[in-house]
Amino acid sequence: QVQLVESGGGLVQAGGSLRLSCAASGRTFSTYAMGWFRQAPGKEREFAATVSWSGGITYYADSVKGRFTISRDNAKNTVYLQMNSLKPEDTAVYYCAARDGGTAELEREYDYWGQGTQVTVSS
């Protein structure tokens, strides 16, 4: 079992940066791949980034590639999403998720979800 809690969201101006954190608890966190998803108002939730259990493999949505970086620190049971060069279209609730397996980009492949943290980018 894994419990996830996101933090680090907030209000920033376009071009700014934020670092989201997702603290995990559970006996097998280090064996789980992690993902970040986001959901803008009136839109469906979409994939943003994923990282393997070792941290050595990452994948990004085209919309965030080159601007966002996903990483994890298994000693701290935490996954991060460093967001740079933020744009108004990045405004969304950001969710972290965990799955007992490798990296994945589909919501249905994840087993555990955090409550979400709001990111708002002003123009």
Side-chain angles (χ1 to χ4, degrees):
Q1 297 293 317
V2 176
Q3 294 79 46
L4 307 172
V5 180
E6 303 97 331
S7 62
L11 174 64
V12 297
Q13 290 187 323
S17 298
L18 280 176
R19 189 192 195 197
L20 305 183
S21 298
C22 177
S25 61
R27 58 194 289 255
T28 59
F29 171 76
S30 294
T31 68
Y32 284 72
M34 303 293 295
W36 285 97
F37 291 76
R38 63 186 188 178
Q39 187 168 26
K43 298 185 180 297
E44 63 186 14
R45 189 153 53 188
E46 66 177 8
F47 167 77
T50 184
V51 61
S52 62
W53 67 267
S54 68
I57 302 172
T58 59
Y59 296 99
Y60 299 91
D62 288 344
S63 59
V64 308
K65 191 172 185 178
R67 300 187 298 120
F68 291 11
T69 302
I70 188 171
S71 62
R72 66 192 297 164
D73 186 339
N74 289 341
K76 297 181 179 179
N77 292 331
T78 301
V79 62
Y80 305 96
L81 187 67
Q82 178 66 48
M83 306 185 295
N84 299 326
S85 301
L86 284 162
K87 305 174 181 179
E89 52 262 44
D90 295 319
T91 295
V93 176
Y94 284 71
Y95 300 88
C96 67
R99 69 183 304 269
D100 190 3
T103 56
E105 301 177 18
L106 301 176
E107 289 185 61
R108 67 174 182 266
E109 296 181 285
Y110 286 83
D111 304 302
Y112 307 101
W113 293 84
Q115 84 290 348
T117 186
Q118 177 70 49
V119 172
T120 302
V121 184
S122 62
S123 61

